[in-house]
Amino acid sequence: MFVNAIEQASMYTRPIFTIARRYGRAEVLPGSATIFFVNEEGWAVTTKQVAKMIVDAGNVEKKYAEFRQKRSEIPAGYNFEEQIKALETLNQYNAEKICQLKVNFVDCVDHISGVECKMHPKYDVALVHFSGYTRLGYNGYATFAASSEAVKPGRFLCRLGYPFPEFRNFKYDAEKDDIVWTAENLRSPRFPAEGMVTRLIGEQDGEIIGIEMSTPGYKGASGGPLFDPRGLVYGMQTGVSSLNLGQCVHMDIIKGMLTKEGVKYYEDQYGAKTAGDKSFIRMSSAAGTSGGKMS
């Protein structure tokens, strides 16, 4: 039922791989998340949690780099250990504290000079924009359904994401006290998950904000698209409810944010839609097969 739609969604849905390390430990912790692109200008959609992780990664790395520099400047002496301990306490570093977090945007764009994250003030939606690239690593972009009338209980839809961090192209460099990506180009498998729409989630004023699915989603797949057998996008996976049911944000929330931010997106009337622009002109995206990293 979803074979062609999954192939179509895989062209613009990409994994975000992360590696992290707790203070004082050599073990590297891999993680994954999902993002999907909505136009040929480097704009993508994901969840707030993923966007916050992207932002936090830079801050975590900067703080630890400053800590290492200050630690290296402590002179050897009888109170060396006490000074190290004081520095650790000042930075709140302990055996459970994440001291390093690095992000790898797999097959998104070839080079990254900046990543801008815009978060919805109320709902679990965020926009991500890549800059500084010369070539796109994704092919095509999501096409949203023009109307949500077809999304009703009993309708089967599919999600696509990268929930399983099976990649191993990383290591801990003990000499530099740093976690690094290696030259190996390993991948983790994409994972589709179909399910039946069980109910629509609405606000008290009647606005539909979410879609509940009969099957649970997976943590690392949050940020992936929710689509029908034709490949039209109706929402985005955001998490799992307390009843172990899948939760997705409704496409109207996503399109509303895209419109507010003036970001072009595509609907199934073969049109490119921007805020305040009702013209319908389909544009083709560039193609490529590269990735980008933030370290």
Side-chain angles (χ1 to χ4, degrees):
M1 178 186 296
F2 292 103
V3 173
N4 292 334
I6 291 170
E7 291 299 320
Q8 181 179 339
S10 67
M11 296 174 66
Y12 59 79
T13 304
R14 291 291 181 264
I16 299 176
F17 293 157
T18 64
I19 50 176
R21 182 172 71 93
R22 292 188 175 91
Y23 180 71
R25 301 188 184 186
E27 179 187 11
V28 182
L29 308 171
S32 62
T34 305
I35 193 171
F36 71 95
F37 287 86
V38 297
N39 62 33
E40 68 282 8
E41 299 171 353
W43 282 96
V45 176
T46 189
T47 67
K48 269 191 192 178
Q49 183 178 6
V50 174
K52 289 178 180 177
M53 179 269 297
I54 294 171
V55 173
D56 289 344
N59 297 330
V60 170
E61 283 296 302
K62 180 181 179 181
K63 178 180 177 181
Y64 192 65
E66 293 173 349
F67 169 83
R68 284 185 302 193
Q69 178 62 35
K70 292 179 181 178
R71 185 178 60 185
S72 68
E73 296 172 353
I74 297 176
Y78 74 94
N79 64 342
F80 177 77
E81 294 297 332
E82 288 78 2
Q83 292 188 64
I84 292 292
K85 185 64 177 179
L87 187 60
E88 293 172 342
T89 301
L90 178 64
N91 287 272
Q92 299 180 325
Y93 284 145
N94 56 55
E96 298 303 318
K97 179 76 170 183
I98 294 294
C99 66
Q100 289 195 275
L101 176 61
K102 298 187 178 184
V103 181
N104 188 345
F105 299 100
V106 181
D107 293 338
C108 290
V109 294
D110 57 350
H111 300 291
I112 299 174
S113 63
V115 180
E116 178 185 15
C117 295
K118 295 178 177 287
M119 302 181 198
H120 197 288
K122 187 176 182 180
Y123 303 114
D124 193 11
V125 180
L127 306 182
V128 179
H129 186 230
F130 297 91
S131 58
Y133 61 86
T134 58
R135 186 176 60 180
L136 301 177
Y138 58 94
N139 300 294
Y141 29 74
T143 300
F144 292 94
S147 172
S148 60
E149 293 181 358
V151 182
K152 298 178 180 179
R155 181 76 185 272
F156 273 85
L157 298 174
C158 187
R159 294 150 291 181
L160 185 68
Y162 293 85
F164 309 119
E166 297 180 5
F167 60 94
R168 291 294 180 270
N169 54 327
F170 57 81
K171 68 176 183 178
Y172 171 65
D173 187 329
E175 182 178 349
K176 297 181 179 180
D177 187 30
D178 194 14
I179 54 176
V180 297
W181 299 100
T182 63
E184 299 169 279
N185 195 22
L186 301 183
R187 293 288 184 266
S188 285
R190 68 190 187 199
F191 190 82
E194 54 79 34
M196 180 189 293
V197 175
T198 54
R199 60 179 172 172
L200 302 179
I201 303 170
E203 294 277 39
Q204 291 184 349
D205 61 4
E207 180 186 16
I208 301 300
I209 62 172
I211 301 171
E212 182 183 80
M213 304 294 291
S214 60
T215 55
Y218 298 88
K219 182 179 179 181
S222 293
L226 174 72
F227 49 89
D228 69 5
R230 296 176 296 166
L232 297 180
V233 175
Y234 284 89
M236 175 186 67
Q237 178 174 316
T238 57
V240 181
S241 73
S242 58
L243 300 176
N244 202 33
L245 299 173
Q247 292 182 319
C248 301
V249 66
H250 197 278
M251 70 172 185
D252 288 348
I253 301 298
I254 300 173
K255 291 198 288 186
M257 185 176 184
L258 290 168
T259 299
K260 181 179 179 181
E261 297 294 339
V263 177
K264 178 169 62 179
Y265 63 89
Y266 289 82
E267 291 184 332
D268 61 333
Q269 300 106 324
Y270 298 94
K273 184 175 180 181
T274 62
D277 181 7
K278 302 304 181 183
S279 62
F280 294 98
I281 304 174
R282 176 164 290 279
M283 300 173 63
S284 298
S285 69
T289 55
S290 298
K293 299 176 184 177
M294 291 182 65
S295 59

